[in-house]
Amino acid sequence: MHIPDNFLSTPVWAALDIAAAPAVVALSRKASRKMQQEPEASQLPLLGVMGAFVFAAQMVNFPVGVGTSGHLVGGTLLAVLLGPAAASLVVTAILIVQALVFQDGGILALGANVLNMAILGVLAGYAPYALLKNTRWRTYGIFAGGVCSVMTSAVLALLELGISGIRMPTPVLLISSMFFMMNALIEGAITVSVVRGIERLRGEPVLAKQNQERSTIRTGRPAVALGIAAMLLASIGVLIASNHPDGLEHLIEKLGIVLNTPSILSSPFPDYEIPAWGSSWISKATAGLAGLIIIYAVCALSGRLLARARRT
Amino acid sequence: MHYSTLAIWSRQQSFVHSLDTRAKLVLLVAFLISLATLRTFSLREFIGSFALLLIVSLLARLPVVKIIQRALVVLPFLGTFGFVLWLSGEPQRAMILLSKGYLSGLAVILLVATSPLPAILRAARFFKMPDLLVEIIQILYRYLFVLSDQVQRARIAAQSRGGLRKSLGFTAASGLIAVLFSRSYEKAIRVQQAMLARGRGDFFIASEPSAFQLRDFTALLFGLLVILSLRFLSYGPAH
């Protein structure tokens, strides 16, 4: 979804341009340094030709129903083939050519389109693949990547348009969401199908050597990111969490059901608080973090036990 | 491919064509910002901006009617959101978005129709676009039409084998893209080998933009003055 000029309000496009420019410069510098260190393994021609390849591949229509067809978007495919940083650069190049040569997307809105599709869209497409690429669910990872990539770009674009004052009536928003979801599912299916086709043709996992090299560097990064996100949610998220009861409690209150069941065990953290510390943020955050550590310990222990049982 | 028409126009001779691309790029961005930051936009503002772009296309000796038609490619997306706004009870805002979007598209077409893409990339590089990104775009642009032609030929071959079906099956389409990938990958390796054989890591970046001449500077100042005049005298300042 390429946003043209004049759809975003000035603060929105200006802020997104300012955010996208250093991100693209940083990606370019990182890739340039790598190429200078390893001139024999330079990916420069590969990046350019892959950009042209995605352009050409977008011309191939896939039948997806009676009288309708879809085409590849390509962000996830590039991330699987080249890695996320290189894919982001190639998609940025594609967006610039589309804006200049084909008038698809605006010049002032380029920052928004780059962030939506080239950076966050590609990262969202790569994350499920990175998590599952060394497991037997690799194909599901590629499919989920295609879906996440398109949905992330679409949701971000709709969000930016909404912030800019283009509000959609609820029925239109629902229809658009369904349309984007359909496109996302099609992208997932096409990406899986193309990766399989490439692997059938070349008889090996796509660019296996490069991906193996990358995996040795990046193993565990998604897990660390998830861990940090969980800790932030558990400690800071309580500040913005709703104080209202959850759905089941609300229903019980509404129906006037009184629970007289005697409790056998008392929780150390009732209502996600440490009773001795009152109901301050520290009390809630500590209870949240303690719960997180307990859950992590239980999962890690069960995982090890299961792995040991499988080996024996 | 329809871009070939723009590429042919960009190689013509005229005063606008001969101007430094850096000046044209600055003027394009100034025009777009001026248009985007207008809060009030009526028929008067539309005619003023449209007339300015028409004058530029006449000075560039471009086929005006075809240029105006070419700019209509932006309308499908604009029309969708215009329709949504119209449904939301904002028909005037829908018209403003359509008009401004069309003018922006027309301005971009004028730049591309008066400057070859490599010249635009050299100008972008002058304005600190990263070298690597410029090189990727150059290689992409170099092979875009080669690979697109291969897709067309493969599609014709598939249709001639299987009758006159408009689209391929899902698996056949995946196979076609896989073959295309394989050829692209081999092409990339050959390009890499050629670059190494030349003993350099660069692909195209050899020529620097020529010196900024007095007439480029004059045209830039005059263009900025016209845009600012339209912005503040005719339209009135933004609210």
Side-chain angles (χ1 to χ4, degrees), chain B residues 181-193:
Chain B
F181 168 80
S182 193
R183 286 180 186 168
S184 309
Y185 191 66
E186 283 155 15
K187 207 176 281 294
I189 290 170
R190 284 204 299 275
V191 175
Q192 170 66 11
Q193 286 168 345

Side-chain angles (χ1 to χ4, degrees), chain A residues 6-7 59 63 101 165 193, chain B residues 3 78 93 97 104 155 168 174:
Chain A
N6 299 299
F7 272 70
M59 294 167 66
V101 179
S193 183
Chain B
Y3 177 65
L78 296 176
R93 195 159 172 225
L97 271 185
S104 301
R155 187 184 281 155
L168 305 164
S174 309

Side-chain angles (χ1 to χ4, degrees), chain B residues 155-169:
Chain B
R155 187 184 281 155
I156 291 167
Q159 284 174 353
S160 64
R161 282 196 301 272
L164 288 172
R165 286 167 59 196
K166 279 188 179 172
S167 68
L168 305 164

Side-chain angles (χ1 to χ4, degrees), chain A residues 1 4 6-7 31 39 45-46 48-49 53 55 59 63 100-103 161 165 168-169 193 197-198 201-202 207, chain B residues 2-3 36 70 77-78 81 88 93 97 100 104 109 112 130 132 140 144 152 155 168 174 178 181-182 184-185 192:
Chain A
M1 188 171 164
N6 299 299
F7 272 70
L46 187 64
V49 175
F53 156 71
F55 246 112
M59 294 167 66
L100 276 175
V101 179
F102 301 101
Q103 290 75 52
L161 289 169
M168 293 188 183
S193 183
I198 290 170
L201 197 69
R202 299 192 71 82
L207 302 184
Chain B
H2 59 271
Y3 177 65
R70 177 71 181 77
F77 187 90
L78 296 176
F81 275 90
S88 314
R93 195 159 172 225
L97 271 185
K100 282 184 168 185
S104 301
I109 286 175
V112 184
L132 181 65
L140 189 162
L144 170 62
Q152 297 287 11
R155 187 184 281 155
L168 305 164
S174 309
F181 168 80
S182 193
S184 309
Y185 191 66
Q192 170 66 11

Side-chain angles (χ1 to χ4, degrees), chain A residues 128-154:
Chain A
Y129 169 73
L131 281 172
L132 300 173
K133 70 179 175 185
N134 294 324
T135 69
R136 60 190 164 140
W137 293 297
R138 180 174 173 270
T139 306
Y140 296 105
I142 296 171
F143 178 80
V147 174
C148 289
S149 175
V150 171
M151 282 311 286
T152 302
S153 306

Side-chain angles (χ1 to χ4, degrees), chain B:
Chain B
M1 187 170 273
H2 59 271
Y3 177 65
S4 57
T5 318
L6 283 176
I8 293 164
W9 288 340
S10 72
R11 307 275 174 194
Q12 288 179 0
Q13 300 289 321
S14 78
F15 168 71
V16 183
H17 283 82
S18 66
L19 286 175
D20 193 298
T21 311
R22 287 169 291 183
K24 288 186 265 186
L25 200 56
V26 170
L27 287 173
L28 170 74
V29 174
F31 178 79
L32 293 178
I33 291 175
S34 163
L35 200 63
T37 49
L38 280 174
R39 293 255 177 104
T40 54
F41 191 80
S42 64
L43 190 63
R44 193 181 59 162
E45 279 80 39
F46 177 80
I47 290 171
S49 305
F50 190 64
L52 175 66
L53 297 175
L54 277 189
I55 291 167
V56 174
S57 57
L58 284 171
L59 281 174
R61 295 180 191 164
L62 293 168
V64 177
V65 178
K66 284 183 181 171
I67 290 276
I68 291 169
Q69 284 174 346
R70 177 71 181 77
L72 293 174
V73 294
V74 299
L75 283 186
F77 187 90
L78 296 176
T80 310
F81 275 90
F83 185 62
V84 168
L85 281 172
W86 182 73
L87 279 181
S88 314
E90 296 183 271
Q92 196 184 355
R93 195 159 172 225
M95 282 309 293
I96 289 173
L97 271 185
L98 280 174
S99 312
K100 282 184 168 185
Y102 178 76
L103 289 171
S104 301
L106 189 57
V108 175
I109 286 175
L110 279 180
L111 172 77
V112 184
T114 55
S115 319
L117 192 71
I120 298 175
L121 290 177
R122 273 199 300 274
R125 188 175 172 236
F126 176 82
F127 290 116
K128 302 297 173 199
M129 183 188 269
D131 284 355
L132 181 65
L133 189 58
V134 172
E135 285 184 289
I136 291 173
I137 296 172
Q138 283 175 317
I139 299 174
L140 189 162
Y141 181 65
R142 162 72 180 82
Y143 290 102
L144 170 62
F145 301 102
V146 175
L147 295 180
S148 301
D149 285 346
Q150 283 189 2
V151 170
Q152 297 287 11
R153 283 203 297 273
R155 187 184 281 155
I156 291 167
Q159 284 174 353
S160 64
R161 282 196 301 272
L164 288 172
R165 286 167 59 196
K166 279 188 179 172
S167 68
L168 305 164
F170 207 91
T171 315
S174 309
L176 173 56
I177 293 183
V179 170
L180 189 69
F181 168 80
S182 193
R183 286 180 186 168
S184 309
Y185 191 66
E186 283 155 15
K187 207 176 281 294
I189 290 170
R190 284 204 299 275
V191 175
Q192 170 66 11
Q193 286 168 345
M195 282 167 60
L196 288 174
R198 285 200 298 269
R200 54 182 302 141
D202 296 348
F203 183 69
F204 279 133
I205 294 178
S207 55
E208 293 293 324
S210 53
F212 209 71
Q213 294 174 354
L214 182 63
R215 64 186 189 131
D216 300 319
F217 191 69
T218 315
L220 176 62
L221 275 184
F222 182 72
L224 286 175
L225 208 64
V226 171
I227 291 168
L228 282 173
S229 308
L230 278 172
R231 176 79 171 77
F232 289 107
L233 298 178
S234 176
Y235 303 153
H239 300 293

